[in-house]
Structures are given as C-alpha cells and as structure tokens.
Amino acid sequence: MRIVIGQGSCGIAAGAEKVRKALLERKISAEVSITGCIGMCYLEPIVDIYDGDSLTRLVKVSENDADAIAGFVESGDKSLIEKLTVSDEDSEFLENQTRIALRNCGIINPDEVDAYISAGGYTALKKAVSEMTPEEVIDVIKTSGLAGRGGAGFPTWFKWNAARQSEGDEKYLICNADEGDPGAFMDRAVIESDPHNLIEGMLIGAYAIGAKHAVVYVRAEYPLAIKRLKRAIEQATEKGIIGENIFGTDFSCDFYIKAGAGAFVCGEETALIESLEGHRGMPRLKPPFPAQSGFWHKPSNINNVETFANVAWIINNGGEAFAAMGTEGSKGTKVFAVTGKVKRSGLVEIPMGKTLRDVIYGICGGMKTDRPFKAVQMGGPSGGCIPEKLIDTVIDYKALGATGAIMGSGGMVVMDDSTCMVGMAKFFLDFTAKESCGKCIHCRIGTKRMLEILERICSGKGKEGDIGLLEELCYAIKDGALCGLGQTAPNPVLTTIKYFRDEYEAHINDKKCPAGECSELIEYRIDKEKCVGCTLCARNCPVDAISGAVKSPHEIDSAKCIKCGKCYTVCRFGAVVKE
C-alpha cells in the first residue's frame, strides 16, 4: 500500500506538508511519498491511497486526520475515512477532462526521474533522436496542428522549421515559463508536477531545430518549480539524457535555468531574450525575428511550458492522434486555470471545441455563490470579458477572438453579478500600466491616461465623453504600441464597453455602481423596520459612524461612513441596506 500526498504549491499552502509529517510520525506500514498538483486545487490537501490498482482519494485532509488514515491503512476500515473521501460529484472534475499536458500531474513523484521513466518518460526523445530525422520530427508536429500555447497560437512547426533553416552553428531553444497573467498558474503546475515532461519536450525541440543549448526562463516567484526543475535536470544529466551524445547519438544538448525578476513584459519573446542577456526586459523591433536573430543574436526558438508539455505525447502517439481532437483551426487540448466565483476551481484540460458552458457549469460545477453568472475574463490583461449571453462560445482561437477576447495562456476568471465590470477593467489597466516597460509612448503613457479615466469613473467623477475618449485611446494604443502586450492592453476596456456599456453609463450619469462594488458610489443605510438594536453593527464600525440605543433602531452618519461594508457583513437581520 502507498500513500501519496499532493504537494504542489496549492497543496503545500493548504497544509499538505503538515499532513505528510503527521503521517510519517505514525510509522505506518505503507510507503509515504509525494506528487504534484492534480488540478483539484479547491480540495487540497489531497491524499491518495493506492492498494494495488485500487485508489482511495481523500480531500481537505488536515494533520488531525493522520490517526484516522493510519487506522484505515492498518485495518482497512473505510468508515474511519468516510468523511474525507472525495464525492462522486467532485470526481467528475477530472473524469470530464482529457489530459495530455497534465497526464502525469498529481500521479507521479516529480522528484524522481525513475517515476517518470516508469510512466513511459523519455521514450519519445529516444525515438526522435534514434529513429527520426529533425525534418521528420517537425513534420509530425506539423501534422498534429500544435499551436503555441503561450497566447498567440502560432503554429509550432513553423517556428521550429524557421529556426532549423536559419544559418548558424550555434542555436538556442528557449522555454518561456514567465507566466505573469493574474489568475494563471498552468505552467507553474506543470513544472512543479512533471518537470521531466518539460525537459523531454524541449530536448526533442532542440534536436528538431539543431540547437545544442536549452534554456528555461522562469520567474523567481516560482521557487518550488525552480527547485524541482533543477533536481530534474541533475537527475537527467546523471542518466545521460542531458549532455553529450544523448542515447548514443550525435545529438548533444546542455540545459540550464534563468530565474527572471518577474516583469510581465518578459512574457514577450524579444523582451525575454533581452532579460536573458542581462539587459532590462524591453521588446526589440521585429524583424529580425528570433528564428533569425535571437539570444546573443543567434537563431533561437521560444515556446511556452504547455507547448513543450505536449511534444513527447505527440511523438509517441503520432500527429494524427493529437489532430483528431479539437476543431478545424485549433487542434488538441488546452489547459485552463479556472478561478473566481466557481464551485470547483483549479486546472482543467479539455479538447478544443468544448464550450465555455462545458467548463464553467460542467467541469467546474457552476457558480460558487449560486448567483447569476455574469462574465468570464479570458486571456488575462491581454484578453477580454465574455458576457453571459456568449457562454456557449466554442473554445478555439477563432471563436474566442471573435468575441474580443483571446485564448491567451489559459487564465479563466469567472465572475457573478456582484462584480463591477468597470472595476474589472480598471484592475487590469492598473496591472498593465504598472507592468509597462516604458519603451514606447503609446503603452507607457496611453495606459496611464486610460487608468486615470477609469479611476475617475469608479469614484463617481466620470463625465460625458469619457467612454468615447476611452475608445479613442484604446485604438490609438492598439495601433501604435511596439509589442503584442501593449497592443492587447486595451482589450479588457474595449470588451467591457462593448458588452457592459450600461454599467459605464450608470457610473457616469447616475453616479451609481450597479454591482454595488465601487465603494465611493455606495450608500449604506439602516432599515429601521428590521433593526432590532443588537448593536453588532455599531460595535464593528471602525469609525464610530453608527449610533443608537440597545434594542432601538440604529442610524448611520453618512458623513463619517467610510463605506467599508463591515456593518453590512455582520448584520444578522438584513437591516443594513447597500444602495
């Protein structure tokens, strides 16, 4: 019998390491090991108990459950762990997915190369370097239809082929693991949970383009991912999988990590290259493209983590198998990090062609608060908000693009009717303005001016013409910004104006926030018919703005009220009204 504890960042944050230590202290007969994140982040910590081919999954485990688990292991009495066993409903979260990039995540031990090899790891690399020419590898990737999963959706084979055909004895293969979108954590989870899969995909890519150097650029905010990737590189090197004459062939490749400081702009490939070279991360003019002149002005290819995580599976199973999933223009599967107001948040991998409804209401169980679904933000700061009326939109590059949003790297933030869409646009513009590298005027100053207008609108100081001015600035920035990040920065504003213009007008004309989220546009009052004078609101008011005698109706002094909402939250009788 084996006990496997999920120890991705989400599991550890929820207390998985405490659970592991508590189980080890019990000195039970079962082997205790770790795995990465299986994607059910909302149920962490997760403990899987394997008895031969039988799996018992326990969720929301704490160190206080160690005795019960130990008792089950020793006696087989399932009643001891009944309250911890995953429900059939929650099991559907994984059952309704098709996992390729995430196939080993939450299954194998990320710290042990032998666990990856036992799961079929490095067979694709051996096949590629021993039985296939680089051109044949590229042809298989072309047949698969694999597009870059970093956001742009550019054909992977085309980038590989361009780098291969570029002249030069020294070439570089680079993995962009600078995952910076708010709410996105797909790449982090893959590296933490299955680092050898990334290494294998990158080595196959390096072989295909003729590169002898492979680099992973990963943000320093991912310490666990870096730690596990370093260990994986060391283990693969010890086994001769990285280094000279890989699998006895003429192919040689070294491998190293560059920890970035966490600039959002370094998700853009030329800015990433500048950072790799030790310069400030700012985009270069294109052309020349990295395939011709990239890292140290040598031919280079850049793909993100999820792209490489599909490569080994494609080589082993054939390009046709991958292309059989998805839609005509978008092949294979896509990983999403689903966050926000859903009942089941976490990592979701589905074939392209599923709808937003399939993900939000099917896999993720619908709205957490049972309030009406309002919108979903796709593509992070570079994406856009898709409203409820378009919830049956097919998930592929073309269909999502038609809504004004983008696929992006895979962040999916779900909102209910308590979310202010003007405030949501302001949140993303605040992020973009702060993360602008400052190289071009349109992005550096344009996003700042847009943010100022949104802040004014949210504070009740919006004026006639602000919506038109925002749209004018959006199109000027899209046309004039130097790189893709600046060009897409206006998307959250454009889509919220397109689909939720009435909310902008309410903020400007009526000085009201329909969602009741913008604090400066909210008024709190006490319904004297409902107030019983329990004094709970007054005792919790941080500025003493509420007065009244015990067992008598209370009153809020609007001049003192800072609109923190504490009184509204603590009132048990619905007497505090938010308007």
Side-chain angles (χ1 to χ4, degrees):
M1 190 174 285
R2 291 188 301 123
I3 299 176
V4 180
I5 304 163
Q7 290 214 340
S9 287
C10 53
I12 293 171
E17 179 60 14
K18 293 179 181 178
V19 172
R20 187 184 73 86
K21 289 180 179 178
L23 287 171
L24 289 174
E25 288 171 0
R26 299 309 185 275
K27 301 186 186 302
I28 51 183
S29 57
E31 173 194 351
V32 178
S33 63
I34 68 165
T35 187
C37 174
I38 201 164
M40 305 169 82
C41 304
Y42 70 106
L43 293 175
E44 295 285 0
I46 295 174
V47 174
D48 288 339
I49 303 175
Y50 291 90
D51 187 0
D53 294 331
S54 175
L55 167 64
T56 301
R57 174 159 291 148
L58 310 180
V59 299
K60 295 185 178 179
V61 181
S62 77
E63 65 268 34
N64 297 327
D65 298 313
D67 287 332
I69 295 172
F72 165 70
V73 170
E74 302 302 337
S75 69
D77 183 0
K78 283 202 170 185
S79 66
L80 294 171
I81 56 167
E82 189 173 357
K83 69 181 181 67
L84 302 172
T85 306
V86 66
S87 68
D88 292 339
E89 186 180 66
D90 284 321
S91 295
E92 293 175 359
F93 180 85
L94 293 177
E95 291 168 359
N96 292 328
Q97 298 185 38
T98 301
R99 294 162 74 89
I100 293 178
L102 302 180
R103 62 191 179 276
N104 295 323
C105 296
I107 306 296
I108 67 171
N109 188 333
D111 283 338
E112 299 299 334
V113 64
D114 290 335
Y116 181 69
I117 292 172
S118 296
Y122 292 117
T123 56
L125 174 62
K126 186 175 182 179
K127 177 181 178 181
V129 301
S130 303
E131 303 174 21
M132 303 169 70
T133 65
E135 290 77 15
E136 287 173 336
V137 171
I138 293 173
D139 281 343
V140 171
I141 300 300
K142 181 178 182 180
T143 300
S144 74
L146 176 65
R149 297 303 196 240
F154 199 76
T156 301
W157 78 270
F158 191 92
K159 293 178 73 171
W160 286 17
N161 193 53
R164 172 148 196 88
Q165 292 183 347
S166 294
E167 295 183 2
D169 294 332
E170 192 172 20
K171 299 179 181 181
Y172 290 89
L173 185 100
I174 302 168
C175 174
N176 180 354
D178 191 59
E179 185 176 49
D181 289 4
F185 50 93
M186 303 77 57
D187 291 351
R188 186 200 74 206
V190 170
I191 299 174
E192 289 179 357
S193 306
D194 197 12
H196 288 281
N197 185 30
L198 171 61
I199 293 171
E200 183 172 18
M202 289 182 66
L203 289 173
I204 292 169
Y207 173 71
I209 72 170
K212 296 180 181 179
H213 311 284
V215 187
V216 180
Y217 184 96
V218 57
R219 52 180 45 223
E221 289 101 322
Y222 287 177
L224 182 60
I226 292 173
K227 176 184 176 182
R228 288 183 177 166
L229 185 58
K230 281 182 177 179
R231 179 176 172 85
I233 292 171
E234 291 169 359
Q235 291 180 334
T237 302
E238 290 172 1
K239 285 191 173 289
I241 294 168
I242 294 174
E244 299 294 322
N245 305 116
I246 296 171
F247 288 115
T249 68
D250 293 335
F251 173 58
S252 301
C253 186
D254 57 36
F255 215 104
Y256 66 97
I257 299 169
K258 166 67 175 179
F264 181 64
V265 73
C266 288
E268 197 279 334
E269 59 182 10
T270 60
L272 183 154
I273 290 170
E274 285 288 302
S275 180
L276 268 180
E277 293 178 354
H279 308 138
R280 181 177 176 180
M282 303 176 82
R284 297 175 178 175
L285 287 171
K286 294 186 286 189
F289 295 94
Q292 287 78 45
S293 178
F295 189 33
W296 300 125
H297 303 287
K298 304 292 184 181
S300 305
N301 180 88
I302 303 177
N303 292 111
N304 86 322
V305 174
E306 187 186 340
T307 308
F308 286 121
N310 286 293
V311 170
W313 189 95
I314 291 171
I315 295 299
N316 275 332
N317 293 275
E320 294 84 358
F322 192 80
M325 295 178 280
T327 65
E328 183 61 32
S330 301
K331 304 296 186 182
T333 62
K334 179 73 187 78
V335 180
F336 292 97
V338 187
T339 59
K341 303 293 181 68
V342 288
K343 290 178 180 176
R344 307 174 199 149
S345 58
L347 291 173
V348 173
E349 184 172 4
I350 55 165
M352 300 277 200
K354 295 285 187 179
T355 66
L356 292 172
R357 186 186 298 276
D358 291 332
V359 174
I360 295 168
Y361 281 95
I363 295 174
C364 295
M367 308 308 292
K368 187 174 184 179
T369 57
D370 290 326
R371 298 183 68 134
F373 167 72
K374 187 173 187 177
V376 58
Q377 173 75 13
M378 297 282 293
S382 301
C385 288
I386 302 174
E388 188 277 335
K389 67 181 180 181
L390 298 179
I391 194 173
D392 291 309
T393 298
V394 170
I395 296 174
D396 71 8
Y397 290 101
K398 184 177 180 181
L400 290 177
T403 69
I406 61 173
M407 183 84 71
S409 60
M412 190 182 287
V413 183
V414 181
M415 295 162 272
D416 63 20
D417 66 347
S418 66
T419 302
C420 172
M421 303 313 293
V422 185
M424 178 60 68
K426 184 185 75 169
F427 169 82
F428 283 112
L429 254 294
D430 178 67
F431 179 88
T432 307
K434 289 175 179 174
E435 292 289 340
S436 173
C437 75
K439 186 169 185 176
C440 65
I441 293 173
H442 288 79
C443 181
R444 181 179 75 243
I445 298 179
T447 55
K448 178 65 174 174
R449 297 290 87 86
M450 288 176 65
L451 177 61
E452 289 170 350
I453 296 170
L454 290 168
E455 288 175 335
R456 191 169 71 239
I457 293 173
C458 288
S459 66
K461 299 174 183 176
K463 54 189 178 182
E464 187 177 350
D466 276 350
I467 298 176
L469 181 55
L470 278 172
E471 291 177 315
E472 183 181 345
L473 283 168
C474 283
Y475 291 117
I477 294 168
K478 287 178 79 72
D479 290 341
L482 176 62
C483 77
L485 297 184
Q487 292 160 10
T488 56
N491 285 348
V493 178
L494 285 173
T495 54
T496 50
I497 290 176
K498 179 179 179 179
Y499 298 119
F500 301 97
R501 193 181 189 95
D502 58 326
E503 289 199 29
Y504 281 84
E505 291 171 345
H507 280 71
I508 294 169
N509 301 328
D510 305 329
K511 309 303 179 187
K512 292 290 183 182
C513 174
E517 198 172 49
C518 296
S519 61
E520 294 183 60
L521 299 181
I522 296 172
E523 293 291 337
Y524 290 97
R525 65 176 178 84
I526 294 178
D527 185 339
K528 295 186 178 181
E529 295 293 326
K530 293 182 179 180
C531 182
V532 299
C534 70
T535 74
L536 191 60
C537 59
R539 284 184 279 127
N540 280 276
C541 180
V543 292
D544 297 324
I546 302 175
S547 60
V550 177
K551 296 184 180 181
S552 298
H554 282 45
E555 187 175 2
I556 298 176
D557 185 342
S558 58
K560 289 183 178 181
C561 179
I562 59 173
K563 302 171 184 178
C564 66
K566 189 67 176 177
C567 57
Y568 181 80
T569 303
V570 300
C571 182
R572 301 169 183 170
F573 304 98
V576 180
V577 180
K578 180 167 68 172
E579 296 177 333

